[in-house]
Amino acid sequence: IAARGLDCQVLIDTEDTHEHPIGLKKSGCHGFCEMGPLLRIEPMGWLYTKVKVEDCEDILEQSILNNEVVDRLVYRDANGVAYPKQEEIPFYKQQTRVALEHCGHINAESIEEYIAVGGYSAVEKCLFEMTSEDIVKEISEAGLRGRGGGGFPTGLKWSFTAANKADQKYVVCNADEGDPGAFMDRAVIESDPHNLIEGMLIGAYAIGATEMIVYVRAEYPLAIRNLQHAMKQAREANLLGKNILGTDFSCDMRIKAGAGAFVCGEETALIESLEGKRGMPRLKPPFPAQKGYMDEPSNINNVETFANVGWIMNNGGEKFAAMGTETSKGTKVFALTGKIKKGGLVEIPMGKTLRDVIFGIGGGVRDGKAFKAVQMGGPSGGCIPAHLLDTIIDYKALGATGAIMGSGGMVVMDESTCMVGMAKFFLDFTKDESCGKCVHCRIGTKRLQEILGRIVSGKGKPGDIELLEELCLAVKDGALCGLGQTAPNPVLTTIRYFRDEYEAHINEKKCPAKECVDLLTYTIDEEKCIGCGLCARKCPAKAITGEKKKAHVIDPNVCIRCGQCIHGCKFGAINVD
């Protein structure tokens, strides 16, 4: 299992390990991706990191048979301090897990294990002790907002759908996780699929729905397989289908695998795709709560939103609301990626700062480089600079920076990242993913990408920055759906906080981060070069010439700026300007 990169657990009987068999189970994602594959030893709670096949013999001999920690496999911080137990590792200790509560601790393929940790007790409570109005009220008191991007109050959304009378209603889960670097929803479905089913069942009972649909990316085969298995188990346990737990409530569930269009993360485009049409957003109103899937009242939330529902029902909306800030309650899951020392899935209470997450949990920027910015909210988010690291994480505070909470992408960038190039990277994505229905998005994102392309290739002109800003505002104001309305965010925030980089690209034809290939010049330091010829042998363009044991020269007209000479030179003689 470790060799295949799967996180797992070993369960042993500590009283007599020699006569009782050990148990090995897949446990889903522990979240500490940087240290995987991970192996947790129960009931001691030891966590072994970066486990390899050759480690198994030592684990069996020391941990299983002799109840001893394999010291070389435990996590150590930068100071060399060892943390054998998972809960003591700083990465985990600084988190508060609600949506990810069971991920990494139970077998995703076992309904018995989910029930053993309190699973489906929230459904039982709702069916036998609460009315639909009670449920909506509890969710509203919790202050749970949609975790898929817009942050609309979940209780209010459910109340709208519940208020519309119809013979057929639907609950739809948006698991079309399209943000580059985001994997929050995938981890929940793969590791804790019954939690999703339970949250959706409660939502269906609250609004009066009889059918639930999970729209999930086809690129998530393990998530689909685990969810299908969980649905089968739930039906056998009378938790899906007719007369659930002997009540009058009947509701079933099915999966729709999406083809990977980013725009289908927008709820009305998702509905169009569910109905077999091209995924393009609808004009609103009417909203899905009025006319959604098959023109019937429909409620749409994402995976993380539903993953919080069971916890709220069991623990009370007041306890959930006690975490977070005045306008943003509870916890939020982030995919911490990029130039970070300890990347992975992170769940923290709203109100923590960006510094708390990036430097406290993530350990800061890797390779000894300086922090430059963090991209929040995926390709439609914004870049937040170093001087705003103490910004608290909630919808209002992040919005004030020009970024968005989004579904939870958090991409860390260091000093070597070109912010103009980063803006172009995200515009490349949103331009390609635009459905083309509205002119502002279809043409506007293309024009933005073209201008950014000119700038990073050294062909930027005076006035380009102002033109970018004008176009961005036009796209935001005129686009039909959230994709187009937020697509300019990376451009606007990088201009706002890193305008000097744009000016250097345009006026000086220089890339301060030395990342834009067309703006680089490679030269050889005559004092450092000993004429070994290794750089010349490495150069695929044959741009380097010189006699043996004499300083070599790079022809700028032939050089393709591939960087092979830098990797080949052992004396640091290659300069890049």
Side-chain angles (χ1 to χ4, degrees), residues 267-307:
E267 59 182 13
T268 60
L270 184 153
I271 291 170
E272 290 284 293
S273 179
L274 271 180
E275 293 177 350
K277 304 170 188 173
R278 183 179 176 186
M280 302 174 79
R282 299 175 179 177
L283 283 169
K284 294 183 286 190
F287 294 93
Q290 301 162 307
K291 292 183 67 176
Y293 177 60
M294 305 305 291
D295 286 336
E296 300 290 353
S298 305
N299 181 85
I300 303 174
N301 288 115
N302 83 322
V303 175
E304 187 185 340
T305 309
F306 285 120

Short mmCIF file of all heavy atoms in Angstrom, two decimals, residues 267-307:
data_model
loop_
_atom_site.label_atom_id
_atom_site.label_comp_id
_atom_site.label_asym_id
_atom_site.label_seq_id
_atom_site.Cartn_x
_atom_site.Cartn_y
_atom_site.Cartn_z
N GLU A 267 -23.36 27.07 -11.08
CA GLU A 267 -24.49 26.17 -10.83
C GLU A 267 -25.45 26.03 -12.00
O GLU A 267 -25.96 24.93 -12.25
CB GLU A 267 -25.23 26.58 -9.56
CG GLU A 267 -25.81 27.97 -9.53
CD GLU A 267 -26.49 28.29 -8.21
OE1 GLU A 267 -26.29 27.54 -7.24
OE2 GLU A 267 -27.21 29.30 -8.15
N THR A 268 -25.74 27.09 -12.73
CA THR A 268 -26.69 26.94 -13.83
C THR A 268 -26.05 26.23 -15.03
O THR A 268 -26.74 25.50 -15.75
CB THR A 268 -27.26 28.31 -14.26
OG1 THR A 268 -26.19 29.16 -14.70
CG2 THR A 268 -27.99 28.98 -13.11
N ALA A 269 -24.75 26.43 -15.25
CA ALA A 269 -24.06 25.68 -16.30
C ALA A 269 -24.01 24.20 -15.94
O ALA A 269 -24.13 23.33 -16.80
CB ALA A 269 -22.65 26.23 -16.50
N LEU A 270 -23.84 23.92 -14.64
CA LEU A 270 -23.85 22.54 -14.15
C LEU A 270 -25.21 21.90 -14.44
O LEU A 270 -25.29 20.74 -14.87
CB LEU A 270 -23.55 22.53 -12.66
CG LEU A 270 -23.41 21.19 -11.93
CD1 LEU A 270 -22.51 21.35 -10.71
CD2 LEU A 270 -24.77 20.65 -11.47
N ILE A 271 -26.29 22.63 -14.20
CA ILE A 271 -27.63 22.11 -14.45
C ILE A 271 -27.81 21.80 -15.94
O ILE A 271 -28.37 20.76 -16.31
CB ILE A 271 -28.70 23.12 -13.97
CG1 ILE A 271 -28.70 23.19 -12.44
CG2 ILE A 271 -30.08 22.74 -14.49
CD1 ILE A 271 -29.55 24.31 -11.89
N GLU A 272 -27.34 22.72 -16.80
CA GLU A 272 -27.44 22.48 -18.24
C GLU A 272 -26.71 21.18 -18.61
O GLU A 272 -27.22 20.38 -19.39
CB GLU A 272 -26.81 23.66 -18.99
CG GLU A 272 -27.61 24.94 -18.91
CD GLU A 272 -28.83 24.93 -19.80
OE1 GLU A 272 -28.68 24.92 -21.04
OE2 GLU A 272 -29.96 24.90 -19.25
N SER A 273 -25.52 20.98 -18.04
CA SER A 273 -24.77 19.76 -18.32
C SER A 273 -25.50 18.52 -17.81
O SER A 273 -25.52 17.49 -18.48
CB SER A 273 -23.38 19.86 -17.68
OG SER A 273 -22.63 18.70 -17.92
N LEU A 274 -26.10 18.63 -16.61
CA LEU A 274 -26.88 17.51 -16.06
C LEU A 274 -28.02 17.11 -16.99
O LEU A 274 -28.38 15.94 -17.09
CB LEU A 274 -27.46 17.90 -14.70
CG LEU A 274 -26.63 17.63 -13.45
CD1 LEU A 274 -27.39 18.10 -12.21
CD2 LEU A 274 -26.27 16.17 -13.32
N GLU A 275 -28.59 18.09 -17.66
CA GLU A 275 -29.72 17.83 -18.54
C GLU A 275 -29.30 17.37 -19.93
O GLU A 275 -30.13 17.19 -20.82
CB GLU A 275 -30.58 19.09 -18.66
CG GLU A 275 -31.27 19.47 -17.36
CD GLU A 275 -32.07 20.76 -17.45
OE1 GLU A 275 -31.95 21.48 -18.47
OE2 GLU A 275 -32.83 21.04 -16.51
N GLY A 276 -27.98 17.17 -20.11
CA GLY A 276 -27.48 16.69 -21.39
C GLY A 276 -27.20 17.76 -22.41
O GLY A 276 -26.96 17.48 -23.58
N LYS A 277 -27.20 19.02 -21.97
CA LYS A 277 -26.94 20.13 -22.87
C LYS A 277 -25.50 20.60 -22.71
O LYS A 277 -24.78 20.16 -21.81
CB LYS A 277 -27.90 21.29 -22.57
CG LYS A 277 -29.37 20.91 -22.63
CD LYS A 277 -30.23 22.03 -22.07
CE LYS A 277 -31.69 21.61 -21.93
NZ LYS A 277 -32.50 22.63 -21.23
N ARG A 278 -25.09 21.52 -23.55
CA ARG A 278 -23.77 22.10 -23.42
C ARG A 278 -23.72 22.94 -22.15
O ARG A 278 -24.66 23.68 -21.85
CB ARG A 278 -23.46 22.99 -24.63
CG ARG A 278 -22.07 23.59 -24.60
CD ARG A 278 -21.82 24.44 -25.84
NE ARG A 278 -20.52 25.09 -25.75
CZ ARG A 278 -20.08 25.98 -26.63
NH1 ARG A 278 -20.84 26.30 -27.66
NH2 ARG A 278 -18.89 26.54 -26.48
N GLY A 279 -22.63 22.81 -21.40
CA GLY A 279 -22.52 23.51 -20.12
C GLY A 279 -22.32 25.00 -20.31
O GLY A 279 -21.18 25.47 -20.46
N MET A 280 -23.40 25.75 -20.28
CA MET A 280 -23.35 27.21 -20.41
C MET A 280 -24.31 27.81 -19.39
O MET A 280 -25.40 27.27 -19.17
CB MET A 280 -23.74 27.65 -21.82
CG MET A 280 -22.87 27.06 -22.91
SD MET A 280 -23.45 27.45 -24.57
CE MET A 280 -22.85 29.13 -24.75
N PRO A 281 -23.93 28.91 -18.76
CA PRO A 281 -24.79 29.48 -17.70
C PRO A 281 -26.11 30.02 -18.23
O PRO A 281 -26.20 30.46 -19.38
CB PRO A 281 -23.93 30.60 -17.12
CG PRO A 281 -22.96 30.95 -18.20
CD PRO A 281 -22.69 29.67 -18.93
N ARG A 282 -27.12 29.96 -17.37
CA ARG A 282 -28.43 30.52 -17.69
C ARG A 282 -28.54 31.94 -17.13
O ARG A 282 -27.84 32.30 -16.19
CB ARG A 282 -29.54 29.68 -17.07
CG ARG A 282 -29.61 28.25 -17.53
CD ARG A 282 -30.68 27.51 -16.73
NE ARG A 282 -30.83 26.12 -17.15
CZ ARG A 282 -31.66 25.25 -16.56
NH1 ARG A 282 -32.38 25.63 -15.52
NH2 ARG A 282 -31.73 24.02 -17.01
N LEU A 283 -29.42 32.69 -17.71
CA LEU A 283 -29.75 33.99 -17.14
C LEU A 283 -30.52 33.79 -15.83
O LEU A 283 -31.35 32.88 -15.72
CB LEU A 283 -30.60 34.80 -18.11
CG LEU A 283 -29.86 35.46 -19.29
CD1 LEU A 283 -30.87 35.99 -20.30
CD2 LEU A 283 -28.95 36.57 -18.81
N LYS A 284 -30.23 34.62 -14.84
CA LYS A 284 -30.94 34.56 -13.56
C LYS A 284 -31.50 35.93 -13.24
O LYS A 284 -30.81 36.93 -13.45
CB LYS A 284 -29.99 34.08 -12.45
CG LYS A 284 -29.52 32.65 -12.61
CD LYS A 284 -28.63 32.20 -11.45
CE LYS A 284 -27.25 32.83 -11.53
NZ LYS A 284 -26.30 32.24 -10.56
N PRO A 285 -32.75 36.04 -12.68
CA PRO A 285 -33.67 34.94 -12.38
C PRO A 285 -34.28 34.34 -13.64
O PRO A 285 -34.16 34.94 -14.68
CB PRO A 285 -34.71 35.64 -11.50
CG PRO A 285 -34.69 37.07 -11.91
CD PRO A 285 -33.27 37.36 -12.31
N PRO A 286 -34.98 33.15 -13.48
CA PRO A 286 -35.24 32.43 -12.24
C PRO A 286 -33.99 31.72 -11.72
O PRO A 286 -33.14 31.28 -12.50
CB PRO A 286 -36.32 31.42 -12.63
CG PRO A 286 -36.05 31.16 -14.10
CD PRO A 286 -35.61 32.47 -14.65
N PHE A 287 -33.89 31.61 -10.41
CA PHE A 287 -32.79 30.94 -9.76
C PHE A 287 -33.11 29.45 -9.64
O PHE A 287 -34.27 29.04 -9.72
CB PHE A 287 -32.53 31.55 -8.39
CG PHE A 287 -32.04 32.97 -8.45
CD1 PHE A 287 -32.93 34.04 -8.38
CD2 PHE A 287 -30.69 33.24 -8.59
CE1 PHE A 287 -32.49 35.35 -8.45
CE2 PHE A 287 -30.23 34.55 -8.66
CZ PHE A 287 -31.13 35.60 -8.59
N PRO A 288 -32.07 28.61 -9.43
CA PRO A 288 -32.32 27.17 -9.31
C PRO A 288 -33.33 26.80 -8.23
O PRO A 288 -34.02 25.79 -8.36
CB PRO A 288 -30.93 26.61 -8.98
CG PRO A 288 -29.99 27.58 -9.62
CD PRO A 288 -30.63 28.92 -9.45
N ALA A 289 -33.42 27.59 -7.16
CA ALA A 289 -34.40 27.31 -6.11
C ALA A 289 -35.82 27.39 -6.64
O ALA A 289 -36.74 26.78 -6.09
CB ALA A 289 -34.22 28.29 -4.95
N GLN A 290 -35.99 28.14 -7.75
CA GLN A 290 -37.31 28.26 -8.38
C GLN A 290 -37.45 27.28 -9.55
O GLN A 290 -38.39 26.49 -9.62
CB GLN A 290 -37.51 29.69 -8.87
CG GLN A 290 -37.41 30.74 -7.77
CD GLN A 290 -37.16 32.13 -8.33
OE1 GLN A 290 -36.24 32.36 -9.10
NE2 GLN A 290 -38.02 33.07 -7.94
N LYS A 291 -36.51 27.36 -10.47
CA LYS A 291 -36.50 26.48 -11.63
C LYS A 291 -35.06 26.03 -11.87
O LYS A 291 -34.26 26.75 -12.43
CB LYS A 291 -37.04 27.20 -12.87
CG LYS A 291 -38.52 27.53 -12.79
CD LYS A 291 -39.02 28.17 -14.08
CE LYS A 291 -38.99 27.18 -15.24
NZ LYS A 291 -39.58 27.77 -16.49
N GLY A 292 -34.76 24.83 -11.41
CA GLY A 292 -33.40 24.31 -11.53
C GLY A 292 -33.34 23.13 -12.48
O GLY A 292 -33.75 23.23 -13.65
N TYR A 293 -32.86 21.99 -11.98
CA TYR A 293 -32.75 20.78 -12.79
C TYR A 293 -34.13 20.33 -13.24
O TYR A 293 -35.06 20.21 -12.44
CB TYR A 293 -32.05 19.68 -11.98
CG TYR A 293 -31.94 18.37 -12.70
CD1 TYR A 293 -31.24 18.26 -13.90
CD2 TYR A 293 -32.52 17.22 -12.19
CE1 TYR A 293 -31.12 17.06 -14.56
CE2 TYR A 293 -32.42 16.00 -12.83
CZ TYR A 293 -31.71 15.92 -14.03
OH TYR A 293 -31.60 14.72 -14.69
N MET A 294 -34.29 20.11 -14.54
CA MET A 294 -35.57 19.72 -15.16
C MET A 294 -36.68 20.71 -14.83
O MET A 294 -37.86 20.36 -14.72
CB MET A 294 -35.97 18.30 -14.72
CG MET A 294 -34.91 17.24 -14.98
SD MET A 294 -34.34 17.15 -16.69
CE MET A 294 -35.81 16.49 -17.50
N ASP A 295 -36.28 21.98 -14.64
CA ASP A 295 -37.21 23.08 -14.34
C ASP A 295 -37.93 22.91 -13.01
O ASP A 295 -38.97 23.53 -12.76
CB ASP A 295 -38.24 23.26 -15.46
CG ASP A 295 -37.63 23.89 -16.69
OD1 ASP A 295 -36.60 24.59 -16.55
OD2 ASP A 295 -38.17 23.71 -17.80
N GLU A 296 -37.38 22.07 -12.14
CA GLU A 296 -37.96 21.87 -10.81
C GLU A 296 -37.08 22.57 -9.76
O GLU A 296 -35.89 22.79 -9.98
CB GLU A 296 -38.05 20.37 -10.48
CG GLU A 296 -38.90 19.56 -11.44
CD GLU A 296 -40.40 19.87 -11.33
OE1 GLU A 296 -40.78 20.61 -10.42
OE2 GLU A 296 -41.16 19.35 -12.16
N PRO A 297 -37.66 22.92 -8.60
CA PRO A 297 -36.86 23.56 -7.55
C PRO A 297 -35.67 22.68 -7.16
O PRO A 297 -35.83 21.49 -6.88
CB PRO A 297 -37.85 23.70 -6.39
CG PRO A 297 -39.19 23.73 -7.04
CD PRO A 297 -39.08 22.81 -8.23
N SER A 298 -34.49 23.28 -7.15
CA SER A 298 -33.26 22.51 -6.91
C SER A 298 -32.33 23.29 -5.99
O SER A 298 -32.23 24.51 -6.10
CB SER A 298 -32.53 22.20 -8.22
OG SER A 298 -33.40 21.55 -9.13
N ASN A 299 -31.67 22.57 -5.11
CA ASN A 299 -30.69 23.20 -4.24
C ASN A 299 -29.30 22.65 -4.60
O ASN A 299 -29.11 21.44 -4.69
CB ASN A 299 -30.98 22.90 -2.77
CG ASN A 299 -29.98 23.57 -1.85
OD1 ASN A 299 -30.12 24.73 -1.49
ND2 ASN A 299 -28.92 22.85 -1.48
N ILE A 300 -28.35 23.57 -4.78
CA ILE A 300 -27.00 23.18 -5.16
C ILE A 300 -26.00 23.72 -4.15
O ILE A 300 -25.97 24.92 -3.87
CB ILE A 300 -26.64 23.71 -6.57
CG1 ILE A 300 -27.66 23.22 -7.59
CG2 ILE A 300 -25.24 23.26 -6.97
CD1 ILE A 300 -27.48 23.80 -8.97
N ASN A 301 -25.22 22.82 -3.57
CA ASN A 301 -24.10 23.18 -2.71
C ASN A 301 -22.91 22.32 -3.08
O ASN A 301 -23.07 21.27 -3.72
CB ASN A 301 -24.42 22.98 -1.23
CG ASN A 301 -25.40 23.99 -0.69
OD1 ASN A 301 -26.52 23.66 -0.29
ND2 ASN A 301 -25.00 25.25 -0.67
N ASN A 302 -21.72 22.73 -2.66
CA ASN A 302 -20.55 21.91 -2.99
C ASN A 302 -20.27 20.89 -1.89
O ASN A 302 -20.94 20.85 -0.85
CB ASN A 302 -19.33 22.79 -3.28
CG ASN A 302 -18.59 23.22 -2.02
OD1 ASN A 302 -19.21 23.51 -1.00
ND2 ASN A 302 -17.28 23.26 -2.09
N VAL A 303 -19.27 20.05 -2.11
CA VAL A 303 -18.96 18.94 -1.21
C VAL A 303 -18.66 19.42 0.20
O VAL A 303 -19.21 18.89 1.19
CB VAL A 303 -17.75 18.13 -1.75
CG1 VAL A 303 -17.35 17.05 -0.75
CG2 VAL A 303 -18.10 17.50 -3.09
N GLU A 304 -17.79 20.42 0.33
CA GLU A 304 -17.38 20.87 1.66
C GLU A 304 -18.57 21.43 2.45
O GLU A 304 -18.64 21.26 3.66
CB GLU A 304 -16.28 21.93 1.54
CG GLU A 304 -15.69 22.31 2.89
CD GLU A 304 -14.69 23.44 2.82
OE1 GLU A 304 -14.15 23.70 1.73
OE2 GLU A 304 -14.45 24.08 3.86
N THR A 305 -19.48 22.10 1.76
CA THR A 305 -20.67 22.62 2.45
C THR A 305 -21.47 21.49 3.08
O THR A 305 -21.81 21.53 4.26
CB THR A 305 -21.56 23.40 1.46
OG1 THR A 305 -20.77 24.37 0.76
CG2 THR A 305 -22.68 24.13 2.20
N PHE A 306 -21.74 20.46 2.29
CA PHE A 306 -22.50 19.31 2.82
C PHE A 306 -21.71 18.56 3.89
O PHE A 306 -22.30 17.99 4.81
CB PHE A 306 -22.85 18.35 1.69
CG PHE A 306 -23.98 18.83 0.80
CD1 PHE A 306 -23.78 19.03 -0.56
CD2 PHE A 306 -25.23 19.06 1.33
CE1 PHE A 306 -24.81 19.47 -1.38
CE2 PHE A 306 -26.29 19.50 0.52
CZ PHE A 306 -26.07 19.71 -0.84
N ALA A 307 -20.38 18.57 3.79
CA ALA A 307 -19.55 17.85 4.77
C ALA A 307 -19.63 18.47 6.16
O ALA A 307 -19.27 17.82 7.14
CB ALA A 307 -18.10 17.81 4.30
#
